[in-house]
Amino acid sequence: MGAYFLHLKTYTQNCLGEEYESKWWPQLQEMVGKEYLDPEASHRTHRPIPTCLRNHALISEVNAGRGPIHMVTMEAFQDPHLEEIGWHNFLGMTVGQAVLWAATDVDPKNENPELTTSEPYVMGSHATGCGAWCSGPEDVSPPEYFWGYNRMTTVEGLFGAGDAVGGTPHAFSSGSFTEGRLAAKAACKYIDDGKAEGIVVSQKQIEDRRKEIYKPLEHYRIYRNEITAGSVNPNYINPRQGLDRLQKLMDEYAGGASVNYMTNEKLLHIGLKKLKLLEEDFEKIAAEDIHELLRAWELKHRILSSEAVMQHTLFRKETRWPGYYYRGDFLKVDDENWHVLTVSRRDPKTGEYTMEKAPCYHLVEDTE
Ligand SMILES: Cc1cc2nc3c(=O)[nH]c(=O)nc-3n(C[C@H](O)[C@H](O)[C@H](O)COP(=O)(O)OP(=O)(O)OC[C@H]3O[C@@H](n4cnc5c(N)ncnc54)[C@H](O)[C@@H]3O)c2cc1C
């Protein structure tokens, strides 16, 4: 959608064919605070208007009963060149959207397609600036951002790049592979400097890890005949069941689509409690085949990511991105206290989180 708006100059309308975004700005200012009125500080006055605020207007308009929202493609698509670019955009990036249009018989040249928000995706630093906390480059990093090797995470000797690492407002394809190259060079330097010497992985460590990874297959083999009804087995959950449970939990407690992206402290605490139960049940996950084994481990990683999302949303007592999510108990953008990065540590043994604030320095000057 972002590419469409920027590239093809598309815009949106409510069901009556009206422009609606501007109508919601006064309400938004009231809700999130007057920084939004201040041309120096606000993201409201930026052009183009940030996606989260456009989402906010869209959600509000639909709630006011004037949905669906349409993306106006019919104008741009009359130009054959723009039409081609439009299809390139979708076929290259989000082929599922093109498939949906084909499946619902919508040709964006002759009909303005419906536009809506969906569940929030965790896309690492591409969309949310989140990810592993890693060292910056030595030439521009202030001391808080630098610990010896560019792109090295806080785990000594482990390097990261692209969507995996945080602290970047927007990781893109080209940025990700450039960063991958920087990370690889820094990792080579780390080895050349002799820092990796003396690393020994024992046969026992390998064997233990192998057992842990394949355990879901073993679990299935032992208990598969104890199904009581349908796919219900008192001895295990399968990856699909676990995923459905995680989706629902995150949706209802961590500001998902079904609650209009709203959450608060109480909801997040309940969500975290339920997530712990899911984590316990994950110990008994069963995988029917190697494909399900992959899904099982994806689920484990999603559970960990979800926990981090909830812990960070809980810690940050403000609504940084209205339209992406709302903290109902702190509906303001609070630059005074929260113009910071939030850093978490998860104790691998106890699963306990510790949270802290880290300064957010603007290293690149805005030249506009
Ligand atoms: C909908 C959408 C639209 C986007 N649009 C654009 C755009 O227009 N322009 C742009 O520049 N960027 C765009 N991006 C962002 C861009 O795609 C990402 O920033 C970039 O692809 C990240 O690259 P990466 O190598 O860090 O991660 P990825 O491309 O996610 O690569 C990580 C790889 O690791 C693999 N993996 C994960 N776990 C394991 C494991 N345990 N073992 C082995 N392999 C594993 C995954 O399968 C994956 O292949 C978009 C992203 C999305 C989601």
Side-chain angles (χ1 to χ4, degrees):
M1 293 304 153
Y4 259 53
F5 286 130
L6 295 174
H7 214 150
L8 305 184
K9 311 270 183 287
T10 51
Y11 55 94
T12 54
Q13 288 175 340
N14 66 12
C15 71
L16 305 171
E18 299 164 343
E19 185 278 324
Y20 62 90
E21 283 183 354
S22 56
K23 163 162 87 186
W24 291 101
W25 302 144
Q27 185 253 19
L28 185 67
Q29 284 156 4
E30 209 174 289
M31 180 176 171
V32 294
K34 73 178 172 44
E35 296 94 282
Y36 278 75
L37 286 168
D38 174 2
E40 293 299 312
S42 114
H43 33 244
R44 140 91 176 86
T45 50
H46 272 229
R47 290 290 178 274
I49 296 158
T51 310
C52 62
L53 302 189
R54 305 183 78 156
N55 279 3
H56 175 82
L58 186 155
I59 296 162
S60 308
E61 188 72 2
V62 171
N63 284 346
R66 288 183 292 273
I69 302 303
H70 290 287
M71 181 166 63
V72 181
T73 49
M74 282 167 70
E75 289 170 16
F77 270 57
Q78 300 312 316
D79 175 337
H81 175 62
L82 292 183
E83 184 187 12
E84 193 180 327
I85 289 181
W87 282 111
H88 273 188
N89 273 344
F90 270 129
L91 293 172
M93 266 190 297
T94 318
V95 69
Q97 182 63 59
V99 172
L100 182 70
W101 284 345
T104 48
D105 199 20
V106 171
D107 180 348
K109 191 176 181 176
N110 304 320
E111 185 179 341
N112 290 329
E114 284 177 46
L115 176 64
T116 188
T117 54
S118 66
E119 70 270 28
Y121 302 98
V122 179
M123 292 202 284
S125 53
H126 173 58
T128 55
C130 70
W133 184 233
C134 75
S135 173
E138 62 185 43
D139 50 351
V140 292
S141 305
E144 296 96 327
Y145 291 4
F146 183 68
W147 47 95
Y149 291 90
N150 192 8
R151 311 291 93 196
M152 186 167 87
T153 65
T154 49
V155 177
E156 173 78 23
L158 180 68
F159 291 74
D163 279 9
V165 299
T168 354
H170 259 13
F172 283 87
S173 303
S174 50
S176 297
F177 66 67
T178 308
E179 207 178 358
R181 207 173 144 87
L182 294 171
K185 282 186 173 175
C188 289
K189 185 166 187 310
Y190 182 87
I191 294 167
D192 287 347
D193 290 348
K195 295 280 173 57
E197 272 160 29
I199 296 175
V200 181
V201 181
S202 73
Q203 202 51 41
K204 181 174 178 322
Q205 276 174 303
I206 296 172
E207 195 45 37
D208 288 352
R209 182 47 61 96
R210 199 190 65 78
K211 269 201 198 118
E212 185 193 353
I213 291 170
Y214 285 101
K215 195 173 125 197
L217 282 176
E218 181 64 6
H219 203 74
Y220 177 78
R221 202 181 59 75
I222 297 170
Y223 294 108
R224 64 182 178 162
N225 289 327
E226 297 186 21
I227 282 179
T228 48
S231 57
V232 177
N233 188 315
N235 300 288
Y236 62 67
I237 57 167
N238 63 37
R240 180 76 236 182
Q241 290 164 339
L243 181 62
D244 286 347
R245 197 162 134 194
L246 180 65
Q247 285 286 123
K248 193 158 169 59
L249 196 163
M250 290 303 287
D251 195 65
E252 290 175 9
Y253 296 98
S258 72
V259 293
N260 270 328
Y261 313 101
M262 185 65 79
T263 186
N264 61 34
E265 185 173 335
K266 180 90 186 174
L267 283 162
L268 287 163
H269 277 300
I270 298 172
L272 281 165
K273 184 180 167 209
K274 294 193 172 190
L275 198 68
K276 277 279 166 245
L277 291 178
L278 179 56
E279 234 181 296
E280 273 178 31
D281 288 346
F282 182 88
E283 293 304 311
K284 293 187 190 141
I285 196 142
E288 200 174 319
D289 52 28
I290 202 92
H291 179 75
E292 273 205 343
L293 185 65
L294 169 92
R295 295 285 177 231
W297 287 108
E298 274 184 356
L299 177 64
K300 174 71 182 184
H301 299 152
R302 282 176 165 150
I303 291 172
L304 290 170
S305 305
S306 299
E307 188 179 33
V309 168
M310 280 208 261
Q311 290 285 359
H312 280 255
T313 312
L314 188 60
F315 182 61
R316 188 179 273 280
K317 294 187 174 24
E318 64 154 0
T319 298
R320 175 64 31 183
W321 307 107
Y324 286 162
Y325 79 100
Y326 305 88
R327 273 283 308 248
D329 41 357
F330 299 100
L331 269 175
K332 306 274 177 199
V333 174
D334 178 2
D335 274 344
E336 204 175 305
N337 296 301
W338 291 100
H339 187 81
V340 292
L341 299 164
T342 54
V343 186
S344 61
R345 280 193 183 76
R346 183 181 186 275
D347 185 319
K349 290 208 177 75
T350 62
E352 288 300 313
Y353 265 76
T354 42
M355 305 291 310
E356 61 184 284
K357 292 180 182 182
C360 176
Y361 297 122
H362 291 252
L363 301 180
V364 181
E365 291 295 323
D366 189 349
T367 50
E368 265 178 45

